[in-house]
């Protein structure tokens, strides 16, 4: 049974010292929020977590952004303010992960071995 072929929406922000990523629910809600700030931020982001990719672009390994990194880049360590700056100035990107096939019941042993 194929798994993991879901779309992922994120906003990528190329900073001066780091690259930042915030996951969002979709382009429609992001564009609506950019036009109308009365929409709650919780309706836009998919978790209040900022990731850094250590200057490896949007596809790099993502680690949580420390308060020091946020302070250096945005002048504040308040994550809500940093998320707003990333959403305002970042680039929206959507990807679909590649499908993969896994064993459905590993208790039966490896697939393809005659018993």
């Amino acid at each position: 049974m194929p798994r993991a072929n879901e779309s992922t929406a994120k906003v990528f922000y190329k900073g001066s010292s780091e690259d930042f990523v915030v996951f969002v629910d979709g382009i429609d809600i992001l564009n609506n929020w950019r036009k109308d700030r009365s929409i709650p931020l919780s309706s836009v982001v998919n978790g209040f977590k900022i990731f850094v990719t250590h200057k490896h672009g949007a596809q790099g390994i993502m680690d949580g952004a420390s308060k020091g990194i946020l302070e250096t880049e945005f002048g504040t360590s308040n994550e809500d303010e940093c998320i707003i700056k990333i959403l305002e100035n970042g680039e929206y990107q959507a990807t679909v992960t590649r499908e993969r096939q896994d064993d459905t019941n590993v208790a039966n042993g490896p697939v393809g071995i005659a018993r």
Side-chain angles (χ1 to χ4, degrees), residues 12-87:
F12 172 73
Y13 177 83
K14 187 163 186 64
S16 59
S17 61
E18 285 289 347
D19 295 339
F20 298 89
V21 172
V22 173
F23 289 94
V24 295
D25 286 333
I27 187 68
D28 295 333
I29 190 68
L30 177 63
N31 286 335
N32 290 342
W33 176 83
R34 284 177 173 168
K35 295 174 196 166
D36 178 14
R37 294 299 169 92
S38 67
I39 297 172
L41 198 55
S42 62
S43 297
V44 181
V45 297
N46 190 345
F48 282 86
K49 184 80 173 163
I50 302 171
F51 295 94
V52 293
T53 62
H54 306 292
K55 298 301 274 182
H56 290 175
Q59 306 302 322
I61 295 174
M62 295 184 202
D63 293 324
S66 69
K67 291 192 181 289
I69 291 172
L70 296 177
E71 186 75 39
T72 300
E73 182 67 37
F74 299 106
T76 181
S77 60
N78 182 323
E79 288 189 7
D80 290 348
E81 292 177 21
C82 296
I83 288 172
I84 289 171
K85 290 179 182 179
I86 292 169
L87 294 179

